[in-house]
Amino acid sequence: MNSQNAVELHDVQMHFNMSKEKLENLKEYFIKMVTHKLMYEDYTALDGVSFEVKKGDIFGIVGLNGSGKSTTLKLISGILSPTRGTVETQGTIAPLIELGAGFDMELTARENIYLNGSVLGYSRKYMDQKFDEIVEFSEMREFLDTPMKNYSSGMVARIGFAIATMTKPDILIVDEILAVGDFHFQEKCENRISGLMGGDTTVIIVSHAIEQIERLCKHCVWLEKGRVKMIGNAKEVCEAYKST
Amino acid sequence: MNQQKGIKRFFADFKKFFPLLLNLAGKDFKLKYRRSILGVLWSILNPLLTMIIITRVFGILLKVQVENFATYYLLGYTLWTFFSESTTNSMSSIVSGAPLIKKVYIPKYVFPVEKCLFSLINFGFSLIAVLLVMLLQGVYPTPVSLLVFLPVLYCFLFCVGFSLILSALTVYFRDIMHLYSVLLTIWMYLTPIIYPMSILKDHDKAIAIVHCNPMYYFVEYFRAVMMHGSDPIAYPVPSFAFNMVCLAIGLGTLVLGGLVFSRAQKRFILHI
Ligand SMILES: Nc1ncnc2c1ncn2[C@@H]1O[C@H](COP(=O)(O)OP(=O)(O)O)[C@@H](O)[C@H]1O
Ligand SMILES: [Mg+2]
């Protein structure tokens, strides 16, 4: 892989082969297997997708619902592995596929911050150091010892975002999360992302708000039905996308 | 080359996600005991009450002839509970970890292993109850009892290996959860928990079957070190060969579980 690149996708294909009926049953499975009725429906979510993202780039992905944007991000984060082709990355990745993955609503915010930190692979010592910074950013100090089930979704999102962005990851992956929370928080998040961009963090963003992509990104890929429709300068791709 | 990379990745991952393991087990523990202050106390009382009932009932009904039956029974029962609880909880752990697995990259073995750790903590607490019963019965621990970490370690390896297999299978076949609870009941009766091995002495077949049961070895070992003081002849210090058998069962199951799991996990995400 080219050392200038943070992410490279080569001819990536992603199949979801779902069994037609949901087989969760040993008995059914054997009956179907014996009678050769085990049918699979193959769904191709991505087909022949190739692109590369330069280090330090802010890269957008646009496309209609179901075009494979989230699937692409999950492949880059290592949550999914491709059916065919290769996905290569360089450096640490902070995926913001969904904020607060692994929060347990029965636990307090304080406990969840440590839990979520370890979900992202940070040590306890490291979290101790960053704890105040996270609390500061999420503006949740007075609720720290309240169980999170009493929080609003916006409050949960704040803490999730604060944890995920407190370190400078090499690659930050953002999937539609900037749509949650109030205006004040969105602005804060955008500033934080812009701040990360100043350094050499590579950012990959999926957003419904096309203006956001236009404003933040340098380059952009447009996916349509799992294939690359257009790739290049963010302004040009967004113009073309908007005019359809 | 590729394999070497895989192994390196495994150890790097393990180090990185070890705190997650501890945190998840700690979370389970907190949630279990938070609601009732009596929670921890209850986990001690529960085996005690069970002991009273069981020793009464079986003492009368079966005329089981075992010295210090309460201690005998409770030692087997707690180790068995450790095994059955850890494997049962592990089974559904991948499926219930789905929200996490779908959103971030974490090694998936974290889930079953965490459940085993959690059961190990619970086991530690029940051991307090066992010690109380032992003191009540006048079965005093001896220096040999310090070896207790060995059978627990062997059993833990076995539990983790077996849990890896079960949790991977459950992703594909949810109904084995019900089958497993039936299997556990049968399995328990094939383990000398409530009866002494001596009642099988005229049944060669039964003995042969029990000898195929990994839990038999761990339970016998566990009792031997804990009850050594009461009767050094009936409960001798386990030999080197016996240790090797236990270790082979534990490690063998762990390796097998690891292989099965690592092959199966690539497709987990499509099924949860
Ligand atoms: N785990 C899965 N199993 C089956 N199909 C899936 C799975 N994940 C995504 N898909 C399918 O793949 C397609 C692309 O989904 P996604 O990447 O989420 O689209 P987007 O984020 O662009 O809206 C959708 O049609 C969706 O139904
Ligand atoms: Mg999506």
Side-chain angles (χ1 to χ4, degrees):
Chain A
M1 135 169 228
N2 187 332
S3 65
Q4 297 290 304
N5 289 338
V7 176
E8 282 181 16
L9 275 78
H10 295 287
D11 193 26
V12 167
Q13 203 171 57
M14 187 70 217
H15 290 270
F16 291 108
N17 58 4
M18 304 166 279
S19 31
K20 267 194 177 146
E21 308 122 87
K22 220 167 163 67
L23 283 180
E24 290 183 347
N25 192 302
L26 204 56
K27 193 177 78 191
E28 264 178 51
Y29 186 83
F30 276 121
I31 295 173
K32 292 262 158 69
M33 197 166 67
V34 171
T35 56
H36 297 283
K37 287 223 179 88
L38 206 60
M39 303 261 268
Y40 285 107
E41 193 166 26
D42 210 47
Y43 183 81
T44 311
L46 289 178
D47 195 7
V49 171
S50 304
F51 63 81
E52 38 194 62
V53 182
K54 290 249 174 326
K55 278 186 183 158
D57 198 0
I58 298 111
F59 191 87
I61 303 179
V62 295
L64 298 175
N65 274 335
S67 56
K69 304 183 297 290
S70 299
T71 306
T72 308
L73 294 187
K74 285 180 181 174
L75 282 165
I76 296 172
S77 327
I79 299 167
L80 288 171
S81 33
T83 316
R84 212 190 61 204
T86 55
V87 177
E88 288 178 284
T89 57
Q90 260 181 87
T92 55
I93 301 179
L96 274 69
I97 305 274
E98 196 163 323
L99 289 175
F103 279 164
D104 192 306
M105 293 303 153
E106 297 289 325
L107 297 177
T108 67
R110 184 189 302 276
E111 289 162 335
N112 268 313
I113 289 175
Y114 282 98
L115 183 64
N116 194 243
S118 60
V119 164
L120 297 173
Y122 301 131
S123 72
R124 179 160 188 108
K125 211 174 103 203
Y126 184 77
M127 291 302 291
D128 281 336
Q129 288 168 12
K130 294 283 179 179
F131 187 81
D132 282 325
E133 196 185 312
I134 293 168
V135 176
E136 200 66 38
F137 183 85
S138 56
E139 300 170 20
M140 290 280 145
R141 189 167 293 282
E142 60 269 54
F143 307 109
L144 265 183
D145 295 299
T146 317
M148 268 182 116
K149 61 184 167 197
N150 301 328
Y151 280 35
S152 70
S153 62
M155 289 157 106
V156 174
R158 278 192 205 188
I159 296 185
F161 186 85
I163 300 171
T165 56
M166 83 191 154
T167 46
K168 272 196 182 238
D170 296 322
I171 304 171
L172 179 69
I173 290 178
V174 187
D175 190 357
E176 313 248 16
I177 55 152
L178 298 178
V180 295
D182 51 28
F183 176 72
H184 164 71
F185 177 65
Q186 280 186 29
E187 201 177 65
K188 217 169 160 183
C189 291
E190 254 188 56
N191 286 342
R192 182 96 175 215
I193 289 182
S194 303
L196 285 174
M197 292 164 190
D200 30 37
T201 299
T202 311
V203 186
I204 303 178
I205 304 179
V206 167
S207 175
H208 262 326
I210 188 87
E211 318 79 55
Q212 207 168 31
I213 302 269
E214 265 186 306
R215 190 168 62 239
L216 293 170
C217 299
K218 291 182 210 156
H219 298 97
C220 186
V221 62
W222 172 10
L223 292 180
E224 194 177 77
K225 293 188 181 131
R227 292 171 175 277
V228 175
K229 172 103 174 182
M230 191 176 169
I231 186 163
N233 184 293
K235 291 248 159 19
E236 287 162 23
V237 175
C238 289
E239 280 306 320
Y241 177 68
K242 275 195 287 192
S243 63
T244 53
Chain B
M1 192 59 212
N2 222 341
Q3 199 172 3
Q4 221 171 21
K5 229 171 149 183
I7 292 170
K8 233 166 115 187
R9 170 93 188 255
F10 173 84
F11 282 109
D13 263 6
F14 187 79
K15 195 170 149 236
K16 185 172 171 192
F17 289 101
F18 190 70
L20 174 63
L21 256 175
L22 298 185
N23 270 349
L24 285 175
K27 179 191 92 173
D28 278 355
F29 189 76
K30 267 186 215 154
L31 291 181
K32 181 171 176 189
Y33 294 116
R34 171 160 295 172
R35 288 225 188 72
S36 62
I37 305 164
L38 289 176
V40 178
L41 200 63
W42 180 244
S43 77
I44 298 170
L45 278 177
N46 188 28
L48 277 176
L49 292 175
T50 316
M51 175 226 48
I52 292 168
I53 296 164
I54 292 284
T55 43
R56 286 278 156 214
V57 171
F58 283 83
I60 297 162
L61 282 184
L62 292 180
K63 306 252 180 298
V64 181
Q65 294 296 320
V66 187
E67 288 288 315
N68 304 310
F69 182 65
T71 301
Y72 178 91
Y73 167 73
L74 214 50
L75 284 170
Y77 173 76
T78 44
L79 196 68
W80 174 262
T81 306
F82 170 46
F83 167 72
S84 65
E85 186 190 279
S86 61
T87 48
T88 306
N89 287 343
S90 295
M91 258 187 127
S92 53
S93 64
I94 300 285
V95 178
S96 51
L100 260 187
I101 293 175
K102 284 182 183 167
K103 285 170 211 155
V104 278
Y105 171 78
I106 29 180
K108 289 151 198 70
Y109 61 77
V110 161
F111 295 97
V113 174
E114 176 264 312
K115 293 295 176 199
C116 293
L117 267 183
F118 173 55
S119 294
L120 187 65
I121 299 171
N122 285 335
F123 173 76
F125 278 100
S126 329
L127 220 50
I128 298 174
V130 179
L131 280 172
L132 279 178
V133 173
M134 285 174 67
L135 296 180
L136 281 176
Q137 283 208 309
V139 180
Y140 298 113
T142 63
V144 173
S145 308
L146 291 176
L147 290 177
V148 67
F149 72 92
L150 280 172
V152 176
L153 174 70
Y154 300 142
C155 188
F156 181 70
L157 295 178
F158 177 69
C159 289
V160 172
F162 204 61
S163 294
L164 286 172
I165 298 173
L166 287 176
S167 60
L169 280 178
T170 309
V171 173
Y172 299 104
F173 310 109
R174 307 284 158 96
D175 58 341
I176 61 170
M177 287 203 261
H178 309 294
L179 291 179
Y180 187 60
S181 66
V182 178
L183 176 73
L184 268 182
T185 312
I186 301 169
W187 195 337
M188 188 177 83
Y189 287 108
L190 294 178
T191 312
I193 293 169
I194 208 150
Y195 57 84
M197 280 308 278
S198 59
I199 67 163
L200 297 178
K201 63 176 179 289
D202 298 322
H203 304 81
D204 291 345
K205 245 190 211 146
I207 293 177
I209 292 173
V210 171
H211 280 191
C212 293
N213 171 5
M215 284 310 290
Y216 157 76
Y217 297 92
F218 306 138
V219 166
E220 290 286 285
Y221 197 136
F222 184 47
R223 274 197 193 113
V225 292
M226 294 303 281
M227 297 180 75
H228 181 73
S230 71
D231 185 351
I233 296 160
Y235 302 104
V237 181
S239 65
F240 180 73
F242 197 80
N243 274 283
M244 287 301 111
V245 171
C246 290
L247 186 63
I249 295 171
L251 275 184
T253 312
L254 183 65
V255 170
L256 182 70
L259 289 176
V260 170
F261 194 85
S262 69
R263 292 209 47 182
Q265 67 171 349
K266 295 190 189 104
R267 299 181 51 78
F268 280 173
I269 192 142
L270 305 178
H271 291 262
I272 51 178

